[in-house]
Every structure is written in C-alpha cells, then in structure tokens.
Amino acid sequence: MNIDKKTQKYDRQLRLWQASGQAALENSRVCLINGTATGCEVLKDLVLPGIGSFTVVDGKEVDCADAGISFFLDGDRIGTNRAQAVTELLQELNEDVRGDYLAEDPISLIENRIDYFLQFTIVIAVGVSEKPLLKLSEALWNEKIPLFIVRTIGFVGYFRIMIPEHTVVETHPENIIDLRLDVPFPALEQYVKPFDFDSMDNMDHGHIPYVVILLKYLDQWKKDHDGKLPSTSAEKKQFKQLIESGRRNADEENFNEALANVWKAFAPTKVTSQVQEIFNDPECESITTNSSSFWILTRAIRDFVTNEGQGLLPLAGTVPDMKADTSTYVTLQTVYRQKAKTDIAAVRSHVDKILSSIGRTSDFIHDDEITSFCKHAAFIQVIRYRSLKEEYISDPKKADIDRWLQDPQDNIVHYVLIRAVDKFYEAHNHYPGDSEEDTEEAKSDFESLKTYVNVLLSDWQITNIPDHLDDYIHEMCRAGGSELPNMASLLGGLVSQEVIKLVTRQYIPINNT
C-alpha cells in the first residue's frame, strides 16, 4: 500500500481532524505580533502541524534576556532583528510552511497601517498594551478575523479569544450514533420483522445484532403497554428482565451488549434544546447573500425537521460495532446508511431552494459539506464572544469582578493585575519591577501599580478592596514583566490548540478568557 509523504508526516493529527482539517490548516495565514519566547512557542506548535504561512511583526532587536529565555534565540543573534531571527529558526521546523517577517514596530503599524493585519486568517498579539490592542481588536472584529491576546508575566499566563461568532459542525462528541430505537423508520422495521428468535439454532441466536434484540423486545413491550416505552425505574427493570429471559446461555455476548445499551431504547430521539436554540437564531431565520454556509445549512436542516424529518434530525447513518455475523451486520449497516442518504438528498433539495432564493448557485455548498453537516447536526455549536470594547469600556461585568475578587483563590485577581500593569506600562514605558534603579524605585513601582489597581477598581465601582491584593501586586512587581521559559511553553501549547480549533472549525474552543 502506497502512503503519500504528507499522510506519513501528519499521520497522528490526521486521525484527530482528518483531511478537511489539515486542508484548512494548510490554507491558514497566521500573524504573530512580537517574537517573544511565548510568541515563538505558540508559532512552534502551529508550524509543526503545518499551517500554510506565518508572519512575525516585531521591530525590536534581540537582547540578552531574549537569548536567555527563548528556545529559538541564542547569543549569536543578539543585536539582530528579533522578527527575522525567530522566523529563520522557526522555518527550520517544517519545510512545508512559509515564513515571513516585518521588522517594524507593531504599535506604529497598528497606529498607521491597520489594514496590514486584515490579510491574515488569525492574528496573535503577544504583550501588546491596552490602547493599541483596542484599536487592533476593533479592526479585526469588524472583519470577523479572530484575535488571540496572549500575556505571560512571571508565573501568570493569560489568553483571550476574540471573534464575533464562531460556528462548529464537527465538535467531536464521544458518540454520534443515532439508532432510532424508540422511533424506528420503516426500512428498519422491515429489516427486523423476519427475525424469529425461537426458530434459530444456537449459533444464529448468538449472532443476532443487539439492535435487533432491543427492537424486537421493544415491539413486544409496546404491544403490552398501549404503545408506550418503559419510563419508570420499575418498568425499565422489567424490560431488562424481559431481554434477560430471551437469553439461551450466559455466554451470549449479543445479549450482554443489548443489556449494556438498553438505555438507548429509553432515551427519546428528539431535537435537543441547544440545537433548537440555534434553529431559532435570527441568523437562521433571515438568510441573505451574506449568510455563511453554516447558517444556510442550519436553515435547510430546520426545514427538513419540519417536513420530511417529522420532527427529527437527519439520520447520522453510523452503526457501532457489535456481535453479529458479517452478512447480518453489513445488511444492518446498509439499512441505516440508505436512510441517511435519503435524508441527505432531502436536505440537499432544501439547500438548493435556499441558495436559489438568495441568488446563489448550488455549487456554493458542496455535497461533502452537506453530508458532514447532516452527520453532525445534533452537535453543532455557535459561540459568540464579547468584543474587547465591551470588556474594557461598555460592559466590564463590574458586579461579577467584585464578587470573584473577594475569593483569595479566584483567578480574577490576575486579570485585574494584568489590566493595571497595562496602564502602568503606558504611563511609564516599562513594566513594574523592570527597573535598573535601586530598591527605592522598586518601592515606587509597587505604590504606582497599587494606585492603578485602585483606579481600575474605582472605575468599576468596587469599593470593597480585599487585603490579599497587596501580595499579588508584590508578586507582579517581582516578576518585572519577565517571561519564564516553562510558562512560555505552557501558553504555547494552550494557545496553539485553540488556534487549531478555530482554523479547522473542529472541536469546541474556549469561550473568552
């Protein structure tokens, strides 16, 4: 068997996000603002799995601190541009990834040429202070380009995702199997009907698929109970005893499987409240030429549920492994797959109608995308983030911060300190504690940072300032705005994982901070 080089190279990750996810990665363009140790660790963990390209924007020269902290810099690079140095070394990790750099001050670039950042798929801003960050975030927000804000100060790490809306189809739940045991479709009923357990020999009886066992006994139960499924604990126990009574010997694995999966027979097949909420979303209600394929498909699925689906989502068509002979199992698979294909064809028809109504051709959404959406329709997700402007200016969630701040173990204290450090930096052009002066200067930094903390809390109308805050202010001054290699590595792994989720549109990313 011939396996191409790419499959060999990326074998493990292809098992996680398949070819579609890898293709999305390879088409991505990532911008890193500031080639710090943390920024390099993030890019390293994106270059290795094969993003399409990256650009480092950094006007600083490599200094001794960079060489001592960053895995990607050494003493020979001191005095050279940091963006160029880290780009050259990061490119060595993966020949398939294109690397570029811009040796300019990113703050100046944000102030004077903000449009530069609009060419990227994702922007990662490391160590950018509040004022330029607000301007950058607004520009990216308006273009729906994800922004990752990343900071490490001493042993504190922080990152925040910002994008108006992120939709996920392949959320990768533990189980997408939908057997329709409580509401079997006609073809499934026809498949089960000929099975006569009593007339089978022991070999055939031990290879009845557990789906058939459950459906047969459910049918028997419903005939004796006015068409109702077992609902109470007592009834469920009786139903299990009914299945147990059909077992011929203790070694029949298929009956063990039926008993282990009996809960699936009790769980009603329905559209979940989460999916129903997405169906009711204004984006689903009002489809326009600007609607994404996600919302067009969601509307098509909703129309299917109302019509052909009779209140149910399209069938996923997946059948789990089970004890059965090959012929019986393959036939059962075919029954489910054929029903899934019929549902997909109906959804395709709805998609084409919707596309026609907004003046788009049917090739705007391909069959593969519809197939995937139908398979995962029960688990789709819509995540909406808060903008930085909301967080910083219009709605900083004062009451929540006040409540959380009273708990000495709550991480909100680090958020408050990071916000205060930004204000300190903009006023003094250095981080608290990052001074070459004597201890008097260090004391001054502590008092200044404490003042910024108090001003921030006052702006949030928080008057109950906890005693433990001073300890954290001291720790922030002790860190002196420094990065630590282990924290940089940890944040690199965490941030890159979330970047991959957004780029591939698979798995569920964190919501906010």
Side-chain angles (χ1 to χ4, degrees):
M1 182 175 66
N2 291 324
I3 301 176
D4 63 80
K5 284 186 177 181
K6 183 181 288 187
T7 302
Q8 284 183 315
K9 183 174 182 177
Y10 298 128
D11 176 60
R12 285 195 200 175
Q13 64 203 50
L14 284 168
R15 297 166 195 247
L16 291 175
W17 51 71
Q18 292 84 46
S20 59
Q22 189 62 33
L25 266 185
E26 291 171 8
N27 288 323
S28 65
R29 301 180 308 281
V30 177
C31 176
L32 171 67
I33 298 176
N34 290 323
T36 64
T38 304
C40 287
E41 290 289 347
V42 175
L43 268 190
K44 176 202 75 176
D45 292 333
L46 293 173
V47 169
L48 287 170
I51 54 171
S53 65
F54 69 88
T55 301
V56 182
V57 179
D58 194 342
K60 290 185 177 180
E61 292 185 349
V62 178
D63 59 21
C64 292
D66 292 322
I69 296 167
S70 179
F71 177 81
F72 293 92
L73 296 170
D74 55 34
D76 294 341
R77 298 280 180 167
I78 292 174
T80 64
N81 174 257
R82 191 164 65 176
Q84 180 180 359
V86 299
T87 298
E88 290 172 355
L89 292 164
L90 282 164
Q91 269 195 291
E92 293 179 8
L93 296 175
N94 194 337
E95 60 186 10
D96 296 332
V97 178
R98 300 182 306 279
D100 198 4
Y101 67 91
L102 183 64
E104 284 191 32
D105 175 26
I107 307 305
S108 175
L109 196 62
I110 291 168
E111 290 298 324
N112 302 309
R113 287 197 291 143
I114 193 77
D115 288 354
Y116 174 83
F117 297 99
L118 306 185
Q119 63 181 298
F120 298 104
T121 309
I122 277 182
V123 176
I124 303 164
V126 181
V128 178
S129 56
E130 183 175 315
K131 188 177 177 182
L133 202 52
L134 278 164
K135 184 172 182 178
L136 175 65
S137 68
E138 185 173 11
L140 296 176
W141 182 271
N142 292 337
E143 296 298 320
K144 299 181 180 177
I145 298 171
L147 171 65
F148 279 72
I149 302 165
V150 186
R151 298 290 292 273
T152 53
I153 302 175
F155 284 106
V156 177
Y158 156 89
F159 74 96
R160 159 91 148 88
I161 302 176
M162 241 181 346
I163 183 175
E165 176 185 281
H166 181 67
T167 56
V168 192
V169 177
E170 295 184 50
T171 54
H172 293 268
E174 285 187 17
N175 193 337
I176 64 168
I177 292 166
D178 173 14
L179 296 175
R180 302 283 165 100
L181 297 175
D182 59 322
V183 281
F185 47 94
L188 182 58
E189 289 179 318
Q190 289 301 312
Y191 169 76
V192 172
K193 200 170 185 180
F195 282 84
D196 182 0
F197 293 1
D198 293 336
S199 65
M200 290 180 171
D201 60 29
N202 287 345
M203 177 65 76
D204 289 339
H205 193 268
H207 287 81
I208 304 168
Y210 81 74
V211 169
V212 176
I213 295 172
L214 290 173
L215 284 169
K216 275 286 190 182
Y217 284 110
L218 273 174
D219 185 55
Q220 183 179 328
W221 175 277
K222 285 191 281 188
K223 284 177 181 176
D224 297 336
H225 294 82
D226 298 324
K228 295 177 182 177
L229 293 169
S231 57
T232 66
S233 296
E235 287 178 339
K236 291 174 183 178
K237 187 176 180 180
Q238 287 174 22
F239 183 70
K240 289 179 183 177
Q241 290 170 347
L242 181 63
I243 295 172
E244 191 70 54
S245 69
R247 186 202 293 270
R248 291 187 181 175
N249 62 70
D251 296 328
E252 288 188 313
E253 290 181 37
N254 53 341
F255 274 79
N256 290 337
E257 290 175 344
L259 290 166
N261 289 278
V262 72
W263 61 270
K264 294 176 182 176
F266 309 145
T269 304
K270 61 180 182 179
V271 177
T272 64
S273 57
Q274 176 182 298
V275 173
Q276 190 60 55
E277 191 176 326
I278 296 172
F279 284 167
N280 297 336
D281 194 285
E283 291 286 343
C284 183
E285 192 67 46
S286 304
I287 300 296
T288 68
T289 52
N290 295 323
S291 295
S292 67
S293 59
F294 176 90
W295 286 113
I296 294 170
L297 283 164
T298 301
R299 176 59 178 271
I301 295 287
R302 191 183 83 172
D303 292 346
F304 170 89
V305 170
T306 306
N307 296 286
E308 299 91 341
Q310 299 180 325
L312 301 177
L313 293 168
L315 187 70
T318 304
V319 178
D321 290 335
M322 62 187 74
K323 183 74 173 180
D325 62 74
T326 303
S327 174
T328 306
Y329 180 74
V330 169
T331 306
L332 179 63
Q333 271 189 322
T334 303
V335 169
Y336 276 97
R337 286 176 179 172
Q338 192 55 50
K339 167 62 173 162
K341 285 180 181 178
T342 303
D343 288 355
I344 291 165
V347 173
R348 171 85 259 184
S349 177
H350 287 294
V351 168
D352 289 344
K353 287 178 187 175
I354 295 166
L355 290 174
S356 176
S357 72
I358 59 174
R360 288 191 177 276
T361 56
S362 60
D363 61 359
F364 179 72
I365 297 178
H366 298 292
D367 288 344
D368 288 348
E369 193 173 354
I370 296 173
T371 300
S372 176
F373 206 100
C374 288
K375 186 176 181 179
H376 300 94
F379 306 98
I380 57 174
Q381 289 251 356
V382 176
I383 301 172
R384 292 192 170 104
Y385 294 86
R386 282 168 24 103
S387 70
L388 203 63
K389 187 176 180 180
E390 282 180 279
E391 181 184 326
Y392 280 19
I393 300 169
S394 61
D395 181 23
K397 297 200 172 183
K398 304 168 186 176
D400 290 330
I401 294 173
D402 190 4
R403 186 176 72 257
W404 295 328
L405 201 56
Q406 305 313 312
D407 180 0
Q409 303 302 316
D410 200 294
N411 279 332
I412 196 67
V413 66
H414 301 302
Y415 171 81
V416 174
L417 263 294
I418 288 169
R419 291 287 303 278
V421 164
D422 273 348
K423 295 186 179 298
F424 181 103
Y425 184 87
E426 288 184 350
H428 299 273
N429 203 33
H430 72 83
Y431 288 104
D434 183 23
S435 173
E436 296 180 1
E437 303 297 326
D438 56 20
T439 53
E440 290 302 316
E441 184 73 21
K443 288 179 183 177
S444 174
D445 282 358
F446 171 82
E447 294 301 331
S448 294
L449 182 57
K450 186 172 182 176
T451 299
Y452 287 114
V453 169
N454 290 335
V455 168
L456 199 59
L457 296 178
S458 176
D459 288 345
W460 293 337
Q461 299 170 349
I462 296 173
T463 55
N464 186 16
I465 300 174
D467 294 336
H468 63 264
L469 210 54
D470 277 9
D471 292 338
Y472 290 97
I473 295 171
H474 274 296
E475 179 62 23
M476 197 60 74
C477 290
R478 190 174 75 88
S482 64
E483 290 181 290
L484 300 177
N486 56 343
M487 291 303 297
S489 180
L490 176 60
L491 262 290
L494 292 170
V495 174
S496 61
Q497 176 174 271
E498 300 304 319
V499 170
I500 289 170
K501 290 178 186 177
L502 260 65
V503 170
T504 60
R505 290 189 173 274
Q506 295 186 37
Y507 298 93
I508 302 169
I510 65 157
N511 192 337
N512 279 313
T513 302

